[in-house]
Amino acid sequence: CKVTGTGASTRVEADNAGTGTLITWNAGRLDGGAAAKTLQVIAKVDGAAGAGSGYTNKAELVGFTLPSAGLTDTPARRGDRAVGGEAAVRLDEASIDKSVDKPSVPVGETVRYTITTTLPAHANFYDVTFKDQLPIGVTYAGNHAVSFTGWTANPTVGEPSVSGRDLTWTLPQDIALHTQTRTITVSFDAVVTSGVTAAKPLNNATFTWNQVKGNNGTQKSKTDDAEGTLLNHRLDAVKK
């Protein structure tokens, strides 16, 4: 905490709500036209903060337009005044990109989907999952692969659990903050079957994390999709 100006003192304590730190600055008397007094606070975000967490800093200036007349004086007579302001900061969040290798395919063709998640530096990700929902009539065909960039030690990302059209990857460990941006890329094959119902099958993927470990009320997610076009398949009939 840095104070510039004369006749100023500060007191630092927990705020009444218990959710932050209260800094009280006794600036003394401020005369009209006098040199400005500045309170500069340098704060550091908690090292355990989850990606996407937001913090709001509030300031209030309280004073009087008349000097005190003694113990019997009242705030109403002195003309009490209060003005406030606030500033907010938010940690960066993850981003996700979903793509497919073939923009148009016939029934029976195999396509390869790729999910790339980018994690910003200096942010934690708790209780992480990847989810992918295949279009109706498109089935998971395996050939699962994972690659990483920017990691000192790669996290464990195994085969997805498959439930109907839903694929889920659950990371067994949290992703701790790092000094640089990192990526996780997951790819797999899927087959377009005759059960497909859309002319442009849409596949979407979601990366989900908690800002506070074990607290789903702080859950955040990023979603992207990939669209393909179903080609008309040929049906040959022989009449006898």
Side-chain angles (χ1 to χ4, degrees), residues 13-202:
E13 58 189 322
D15 66 2
N16 292 332
T19 58
T21 300
L22 177 66
I23 301 174
T24 303
W25 178 30
N26 180 11
R29 175 171 169 167
L30 299 176
D31 294 325
K37 296 183 179 182
T38 302
L39 172 66
Q40 182 185 68
V41 179
I42 300 175
K44 183 179 180 180
V45 175
D46 189 333
S53 296
Y55 301 89
T56 300
N57 175 253
K58 298 181 178 181
E60 184 180 47
L61 174 64
V62 179
F64 301 95
T65 56
L66 295 175
S68 173
L71 296 177
T72 60
D73 206 351
T74 64
R77 187 200 72 84
R78 296 182 63 192
D80 58 322
R81 297 289 186 270
V83 294
E86 61 182 46
V89 296
R90 183 171 298 278
L91 298 186
D92 290 337
E93 300 183 357
S95 61
I96 188 170
D97 179 73
K98 180 66 184 288
S99 61
V100 62
D101 65 339
K102 299 172 184 177
S104 57
V105 294
V107 168
E109 186 80 10
T110 297
V111 297
R112 189 160 186 82
Y113 288 113
T114 299
I115 309 165
T116 299
T117 301
T118 301
L119 308 176
H122 307 294
N124 300 284
F125 296 84
Y126 301 105
D127 312 309
V128 174
T129 60
F130 294 88
K131 292 187 178 180
D132 189 284
Q133 186 176 69
L134 295 170
I136 295 174
V138 178
T139 60
Y140 178 65
N143 197 17
H144 168 265
V146 185
S147 62
F148 307 88
T149 62
W151 296 79
T152 302
N154 296 338
T156 301
V157 182
E159 288 278 348
S161 62
V162 182
S163 176
R165 297 188 293 128
D166 296 329
L167 313 179
T168 303
W169 294 261
T170 300
L171 272 64
Q173 73 275 18
D174 296 320
I175 299 176
L177 58 81
H178 198 274
T179 57
Q180 64 180 357
T181 298
R182 296 163 290 175
T183 67
I184 303 174
T185 300
V186 177
S187 56
F188 60 90
D189 288 347
V191 175
V192 180
T193 74
S194 59
V196 69
T197 59
K200 293 182 179 293
L202 187 67

